[in-house]
């Protein structure tokens, strides 16, 4: 036979049945005992001939002498260089300042009060027009408002939204507005802008009222739960429920209250999900309540999945094929108040991984870091090339690896494993048990 079992076949037995998952094709199948043994033991001469083509189509069989990793790398590169090229995404950070002092903030506790001025905003808008003039294939313009707390600079946000919408119309692009906010500064004018531009906004909650008020705090220590809920009520009353995403921040102090926390916010959004608070060396590593990687699969597959189903929210995908992130995708820029450019929100404020600058006349001037990050690929790592989990990990998060290792040289060609085979097994068994 001219075929061999795929290097991405993952075999497992569960409840007396035999299953095969392929991490490259993401196909999952139950097999009879004989077929399962033939594939697992590479004894294909015993395989029924009528099974060969279906097994090939689902990638369970691969051509001899074929490097299957090349197929994944083709997918990886096509996403970042081709499929993403029709989207132009600008995340504006008008200031790193924030009116709160959450102990787990990934940007640390030291916040600069400096903010973007009118001349800098004009430079960003010129850059946007210049980009669209030179990229005729762009059909979607994504405008993201980030910080710090973006609502500390409302007048600038209003102008940016107005001008960005004009640019989208001028270049025949579909505009899509997003914002990440702590939702403590909502006023009538901001609410009207959210309506006008349909600004999809993510708001975070840190647990029950007492748990939230111990973490999501003003600099003087006062909690914010009641105010945020009051503002969510305003958004709901104004028919903006479908624009709101609520992230429920989970750590070891509130994990057991996950269901009651979610129940309290089902009214305010069609999209409520659990997010684990993560640690970032040099920023929030003193926050000691983070869930470990080993604990993560159990909570996601069991406790959280039941909550999503109970309250009718979409269940996040547990596994699949990993596409590149914003760090090495075309057309995605994070621009701060200094006109410094980054490729990833985790990299913000880390000047060693800044990828360039927007000049005052609106030109993007990349540095060597831009090309370093845009060419990141697990293809460079021999361990990744041989790993069965490569298609669902993609080399992991290089920014996270950079931070965890305390790197300062600006080279983000680092790799960290997002999954283990044991974690994949937990996910797959849960998937099978729930009949999905």
């Amino acid at each position: 036979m001219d075929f061999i079992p795929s290097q991405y076949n993952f075999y497992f037995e569960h409840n007396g049945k035999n299953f095969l998952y392929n991490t490259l094709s993401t196909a999952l199948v139950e097999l009879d005992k004989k077929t399962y043994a033939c594939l697992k033991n590479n004894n294909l001469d015993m395989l029924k001939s009528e099974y060969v083509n279906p097994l090939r189509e689902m990638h369970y069989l691969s051509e001899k002498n074929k490097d299957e990793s090349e197929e994944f790398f083709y997918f990886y590169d096509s996403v970042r260089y081709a499929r993403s090229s029709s989207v132009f995404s600008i995340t504006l950070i008008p200031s790193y300042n924030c009116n709160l002092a959450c102990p787990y903030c990934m940007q640390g506790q030291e916040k600069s009060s400096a903010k973007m001025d009118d001349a800098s905003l004009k430079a960003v808008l010129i850059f946007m027009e210049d980009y669209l003039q030179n990229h005729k294939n762009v059909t979607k313009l994504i405008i993201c408002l980030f910080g710090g707390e973006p609502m500390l600079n409302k007048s600038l946000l209003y102008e940016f939204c107005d001008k960005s919408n004009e640019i989208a119309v001028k270049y025949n692009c579909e505009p899509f507005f997003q914002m990440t906010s702590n939702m403590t500064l909502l006023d009538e004018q901001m609410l009207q802008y959210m309506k006008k531009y349909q600004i999809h906004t993510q708001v975070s909650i840190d647990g029950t009222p007492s748990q939230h008020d111990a973490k999501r705090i003003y600099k003087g220590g006062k909690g914010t739960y009641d105010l945020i809920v009051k503002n969510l009520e305003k958004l709901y009353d104004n028919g903006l429920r479908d624009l709101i995403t609520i992230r429920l921040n989970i750590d070891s102090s509130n994990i057991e209250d996950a269901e009651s926390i979610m129940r309290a916010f089902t009214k305010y959004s069609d999209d409520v999900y659990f997010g684990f608070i993560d640690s970032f060396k040099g920023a929030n590593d003193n926050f000691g309540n983070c869930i470990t990687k080993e604990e993560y699969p159990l909570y996601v597959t069991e406790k959280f999945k039941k909550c999503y189903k109970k309250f009718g929210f979409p269940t996040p995908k547990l596994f699949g094929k990993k596409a590149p992130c914003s760090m090495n995708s075309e057309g995605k820029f994070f621009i701060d108040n200094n006109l410094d450019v980054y490729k990833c929100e985790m990299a913000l404020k880390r000047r060693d991984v800044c990828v360039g600058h927007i000049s005052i006349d609106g030109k993007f001037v990349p540095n060597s870091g831009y090309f370093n990050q845009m060419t990141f690929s697990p293809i460079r790592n021999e361990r990744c090339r041989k790993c069965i989990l490569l298609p669902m990990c993609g080399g992991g998060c290089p920014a996270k690896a950079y931070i965890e290792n305390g790197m300062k040289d600006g080279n983000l060609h680092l790799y960290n494993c997002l999954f283990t085979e044991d974690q994949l097994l937990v996910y797959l068994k849960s998937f099978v048990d729930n009949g999905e």
Side-chain angles (χ1 to χ4, degrees), residues 58-186:
M58 291 186 286
H59 282 73
Y60 297 128
L61 291 178
S62 174
E63 299 172 28
K64 286 183 178 178
N65 302 318
K66 174 185 176 182
D67 183 353
E68 288 184 273
S69 66
E70 296 293 346
E71 183 173 342
F72 172 72
F73 294 128
Y74 175 79
F75 159 80
Y76 190 89
D77 286 343
S78 69
V79 170
R80 63 172 168 168
Y81 293 135
R83 297 188 203 179
S84 65
S85 63
S86 63
V87 178
F88 180 34
S89 174
I90 291 286
T91 298
L92 191 76
I93 301 96
S95 172
Y96 289 112
N97 199 14
C98 186
N99 60 324
L100 303 186
C102 309
Y104 55 81
C105 181
M106 63 181 284
Q107 295 179 2
Q109 293 302 308
E110 294 185 13
K111 303 289 197 303
S112 170
S113 60
K115 59 183 181 180
M116 182 172 285
D117 58 24
D118 291 340
S120 295
L121 178 61
K122 182 178 179 181
V124 174
L125 295 169
I126 294 172
F127 163 68
M128 291 168 61
E129 284 218 54
D130 184 66
Y131 188 93
L132 291 172
Q133 286 172 356
N134 290 287
H135 295 78
K136 305 295 186 183
N137 59 324
V138 172
T139 58
K140 187 171 186 177
L141 175 60
I142 300 178
I143 302 300
C144 304
L145 310 174
F146 199 68
E149 170 49 49
M151 284 196 206
L152 284 171
N153 302 274
K154 289 174 184 169
S155 60
L156 185 136
L157 294 190
Y158 301 151
E159 183 176 1
F160 184 55
C161 288
D162 288 337
K163 297 295 185 182
S164 296
N165 191 64
E166 290 175 10
I167 289 172
V169 171
K170 181 178 178 179
Y171 292 95
N172 198 29
C173 296
E174 175 192 359
F176 184 83
F177 292 85
Q178 295 177 314
M179 177 169 62
T180 300
S181 171
N182 60 41
M183 202 48 67
T184 61
L185 298 172
L186 182 70

Side-chain angles (χ1 to χ4, degrees), residues 197-262:
Y197 293 118
Q198 294 290 286
I199 301 175
H200 291 73
T201 302
Q202 176 169 287
V203 183
S204 296
I205 297 294
D206 288 327
T208 63
S210 60
Q211 292 164 350
H212 176 101
D213 283 343
K215 289 174 285 188
R216 183 59 62 92
I217 55 176
Y218 289 104
K219 294 172 184 177
K222 183 181 177 182
T224 59
Y225 187 92
D226 289 342
L227 177 58
I228 294 174
V229 171
K230 178 182 177 182
N231 285 332
L232 287 172
E233 192 75 34
K234 285 183 183 178
L235 296 172
Y236 175 81
D237 289 342
N238 279 271
L240 302 183
R241 185 177 190 271
D242 60 337
L243 297 181
I244 304 303
T245 294
I246 299 178
R247 173 188 163 110
L248 304 175
N249 284 332
I250 294 296
D251 58 44
S252 59
S253 72
N254 63 10
I255 187 74
E256 296 305 320
D257 298 303
E259 182 175 327
S260 64
I261 296 168
M262 179 169 274

Side-chain angles (χ1 to χ4, degrees), residues 342-361:
Y342 298 86
K343 290 292 293 178
C344 168
E345 66 184 56
M346 289 176 60
L348 294 175
K349 293 177 66 176
R350 299 177 184 273
R351 292 299 305 279
D352 47 327
V353 290
C354 170
V355 299
H357 189 76
I358 303 296
S359 67
I360 202 65
D361 60 350

